[in-house]
Amino acid sequence: MFCLFYLQAKEALENGEVPVGCLMVYRNEILGQGRNEVNETKNATRHAEMVAIDQVLKWCHEKGRDRKEVFEHTVLYVTVEPCIMCAAALRLLNIPLVVYGCQNERFGGCGSVLNISQDDLQHTGTPFQCLGGYRAEEAVELLKTFYKAENPNAPKSKARKKQ
Amino acid sequence: KQKTRVLSTFTWEVTPVLSDEKLCEVELLEAFAAPIINKKQTSCLIKQLTCLYPLNNLPHIKRVRNCRDKSDHPLEIIICLLQDIPNREVSLNDLFPEGKANGLGEPFRVRIPAYQPLTRSQFEVASQHWPTTFRENKQVTDALQGHLFNTEEKAKMQTFMEKAIEAATVGKKMGMEPVGAVIVNPATDEVVAVGHDCRNGPNPLLHAVMVCIDLVAFSQGGGAFNHNKYHNCCFKAVESFPGEHAINIGKPLLPSNDHSLRGNIVNGLPYICTGYDLYVSREPCVMCAMALVHSRIRRVFYATSFPDGALGTKYKIHTKKDLNHHYDVFKGLMKDECQFLLS
Ligand SMILES: [Zn+2]
Ligand SMILES: [Zn+2]
């Protein structure tokens, strides 16, 4: 079942998005699966985690479940270490555990650039545990494929142009 | 004659939120210097010392300084750092084992700046110890002295923050956190998006900044959330630009290695928040501050601080070197009004 989030990442790649995929699992039930949707939505905050969080919120709403209880028992599986923004979002929702593939050297919020998952932030939910290295090579390979396709000499905005 | 309506006085002042290295005290290193007794030997001494004691990590230090007040010797020269020699009490003979120090007087200890000054005030302190090079960023100097914005600009800034406060007030009445935000295109002074906090609605992550970022996406034909329920969360659709002009948005306070100064129009439309300014009543949290990095905002103005704030209080995400985009941050705009909003 946990291979699914790698399939999500591959789907992102096929759609010209940064290849990151994730699953949100609540008591052995998949409530959310997301991949990056930044280019499609023109919203740079639409990372896989944020997309999956929305699905869990929707599920809670439809089932009339208490979202606080649900998130407190939900594990996030994601191909790449959550970025600083997503790490803060996961804290705000009190998610207890994140299992990720490779580290996120550019934006990582669970130790790579900042340690949002563990820092003392009284007004930003609760700290969470992280387990890194789950099929890390596969995650790195996907990212490499993506960044290889981007021309490093072109302005970023041009490189991101969707054709 | 047409005269722009300008307010002459403001109850607030904006302060730039600069990186720690720009705000820190000048760090000093212990060194040996000596008077140059024979001025004709100066260039020879510089060559000799550069070879013997190169100050490789201190390219900002001027090796020789003028000392106008001391008539017996007009120049002084750095010999070496204290840490360069094992024995800390030394004479000329110890410093020049080959004994070629022609024209030098007795060495004495000085303290010299460890880094190149980044602001005028650091430069002034550093210069009291030993002369250094300094590449002044006029914008930073003006910002620190409170001269960066003229009256007309301040009046505009106040108008935008007033809009954010207005949105915050509406949100507060709906049971939300009293935070409002406005995203502006400074090239045209157009408000692109207005939003307020919506965290107590269906999505607890919809902080005012996240709402505005999504509204900007809507203005460009994208968007992810439904904001229809909230009448004070709205956007202005942008029109296609005829060519690929880059909007002239001035020089940033922080040198950025990204491409925010050019090519910010993609397929005839602006690219996410590139070139835009954000006005927000309260300092953004970590999530929102990083969302603004991803969105490539140009400048952020906020009123009041937040205990877990990521733009000055707990972190300075906008100055973090490892990140691929940086933006300028100013705090204090309409601080009292926004403080009142929160109480
Ligand atoms: Zn993220
Ligand atoms: Zn926030």
Side-chain angles (χ1 to χ4, degrees):
Chain A
M1 149 167 113
F2 298 141
C3 307
L4 272 172
F5 61 108
Y6 276 87
L7 291 178
Q8 289 282 322
K10 279 178 193 141
E11 193 191 302
L13 186 65
E14 282 155 19
N15 284 274
E17 302 277 358
V18 178
V20 181
C22 76
L23 280 188
M24 296 200 96
V25 181
Y26 167 70
R27 301 186 194 273
N28 288 320
E29 191 180 345
I30 298 172
L31 298 190
Q33 38 182 310
R35 62 162 178 87
N36 270 24
E37 293 180 357
V38 166
N39 292 334
E40 284 159 78
T41 58
K42 303 189 182 208
N43 179 334
T45 71
R46 299 306 287 163
H47 287 185
E49 298 92 323
M50 303 300 253
V51 172
I53 285 167
D54 285 350
Q55 293 171 9
V56 178
L57 286 167
K58 193 164 167 253
W59 183 87
C60 292
H61 180 74
E62 282 168 4
K63 304 273 177 191
R65 298 291 291 266
D66 173 23
R67 68 187 185 210
K68 190 166 180 289
E69 189 276 331
V70 171
F71 280 117
E72 278 171 3
H73 295 93
T74 292
V75 177
L76 168 73
Y77 295 84
V78 57
T79 55
V80 183
E81 172 194 352
C83 77
I84 292 165
M85 172 188 76
C86 292
L90 295 165
R91 271 188 78 126
L92 286 166
L93 296 169
N94 308 307
I95 284 174
L97 177 65
V98 172
V99 180
Y100 66 82
C102 67
Q103 286 189 327
N104 184 344
E105 304 290 350
R106 303 172 125 210
F107 308 113
C110 307
S112 289
V113 178
L114 286 175
N115 201 351
I116 302 302
S117 53
Q118 290 297 320
D119 280 356
D120 178 30
L121 295 164
Q122 301 288 322
H123 304 263
T124 313
T126 42
F128 58 86
Q129 293 302 312
C130 287
L131 293 172
Y134 181 82
R135 293 170 68 171
E137 279 130 55
E138 210 172 324
V140 171
E141 251 348 281
L142 282 165
L143 288 175
K144 271 192 190 154
T145 314
F146 178 80
Y147 287 112
K148 234 184 276 165
E150 259 194 1
N151 176 1
N153 298 318
K156 285 230 167 60
S157 54
K158 292 251 165 82
R160 272 164 202 233
K161 230 187 228 184
K162 245 189 352 169
Q163 298 297 346
Chain B
K1 247 205 235 162
Q2 183 128 5
K3 231 182 168 185
T4 27
R5 186 190 69 96
V6 284
L7 298 167
S8 50
T9 52
F10 298 91
T11 56
W12 46 267
E13 240 176 276
V14 289
T15 323
V17 183
L18 301 176
S19 62
D20 293 338
E21 55 176 354
K22 282 203 179 74
L23 297 174
C24 70
E25 300 211 346
V26 173
E27 207 180 301
L28 298 167
L29 294 170
E30 298 268 6
F32 277 111
I36 298 176
I37 304 296
N38 183 352
K39 211 176 162 180
K40 285 181 187 151
Q41 296 288 334
T42 306
S43 65
C44 183
L45 282 164
I46 292 174
K47 256 185 228 159
Q48 220 180 326
L49 283 166
T50 311
C51 193
L52 205 53
Y53 299 111
L55 302 175
N56 286 337
N57 298 322
L58 305 166
H60 58 284
I61 291 289
K62 297 187 176 172
R63 193 112 205 182
V64 176
R65 77 170 170 191
N66 271 310
C67 33
R68 288 190 194 90
D69 50 330
K70 292 172 192 161
S71 51
D72 58 329
H73 61 273
L75 299 172
E76 287 172 347
I77 189 163
I78 304 267
I79 299 175
C80 63
L81 290 177
L82 214 62
Q83 65 196 41
D84 290 346
I85 46 166
N87 183 1
R88 298 197 158 193
E89 288 302 324
V90 285
S91 66
L92 273 184
N93 290 339
D94 301 319
L95 292 167
F96 295 90
E98 288 163 43
K100 278 188 243 159
N102 287 330
L104 275 189
E106 260 322 288
F108 58 93
R109 274 160 80 151
V110 283
R111 298 205 298 157
I112 63 170
Y115 302 103
Q116 169 159 287
L118 297 170
T119 62
R120 179 143 283 277
S121 57
Q122 283 180 347
F123 176 61
E124 278 160 11
V125 173
S127 303
Q128 286 170 10
H129 295 275
W130 196 272
T132 74
T133 57
F134 172 47
R135 281 185 215 100
E136 182 165 27
N137 180 332
K138 199 76 181 67
Q139 301 262 113
V140 170
T141 304
D142 287 348
L144 281 168
Q145 292 172 347
H147 301 149
L148 188 60
F149 304 108
N150 62 32
T151 312
E152 199 183 329
E153 286 167 322
K154 282 183 179 172
K156 276 185 203 165
M157 284 153 58
Q158 178 157 326
T159 320
F160 297 136
M161 191 58 94
E162 276 165 358
K163 244 186 158 36
I165 294 171
E166 198 183 298
T169 311
V170 174
K172 192 180 180 181
K173 281 190 193 130
M174 297 172 87
M176 306 299 175
E177 289 274 301
V179 184
V182 168
I183 289 180
V184 176
N185 180 353
T188 57
D189 288 329
E190 258 177 329
V191 172
V192 184
V194 184
H196 58 70
D197 180 272
C198 295
R199 76 184 69 182
N200 297 325
N203 189 326
L205 299 181
L206 284 177
H207 297 184
V209 170
M210 299 300 272
V211 170
C212 277
I213 287 173
D214 196 48
L215 290 166
V216 169
F218 271 102
S219 80
Q220 296 165 1
F225 297 97
N226 185 343
H227 307 277
N228 293 341
K229 235 176 82 185
Y230 304 109
H231 297 297
N232 264 61
C233 298
C234 46
F235 66 90
K236 185 183 184 301
V238 292
E239 284 150 36
S240 283
F241 290 86
E244 291 243 331
H245 325 280
I247 301 168
N248 177 20
I249 51 173
K251 204 175 148 221
L253 284 187
L254 306 156
S256 47
N257 54 358
D258 62 21
H259 305 275
S260 59
L261 291 180
R262 59 196 164 94
N264 53 355
I265 294 172
V266 177
N267 297 339
L269 285 170
Y271 174 65
I272 46 178
C273 295
T274 310
Y276 288 170
D277 292 344
L278 170 80
Y279 293 80
V280 58
S281 58
R282 186 173 78 184
E283 183 184 359
C285 72
V286 174
M287 175 181 70
C288 293
M290 191 60 196
L292 292 166
V293 172
H294 289 316
S295 302
R296 297 174 176 267
I297 199 86
R298 176 204 174 207
R299 294 190 301 192
V300 172
F301 297 88
Y302 68 83
T304 58
S305 294
F306 170 57
D308 276 359
L311 300 182
T313 305
K314 268 278 157 72
Y315 307 94
K316 288 178 178 174
I317 283 182
H318 63 295
T319 70
K320 190 105 186 97
K321 283 219 175 77
D322 318 354
L323 298 175
N324 66 340
H325 175 77
H326 304 102
Y327 49 87
D328 294 339
V329 173
F330 299 88
K331 66 173 181 181
L333 174 56
M334 297 189 78
K335 192 175 165 206
D336 295 339
E337 288 84 346
C338 292
Q339 197 65 55
F340 182 72
L341 193 67
L342 293 168
S343 58

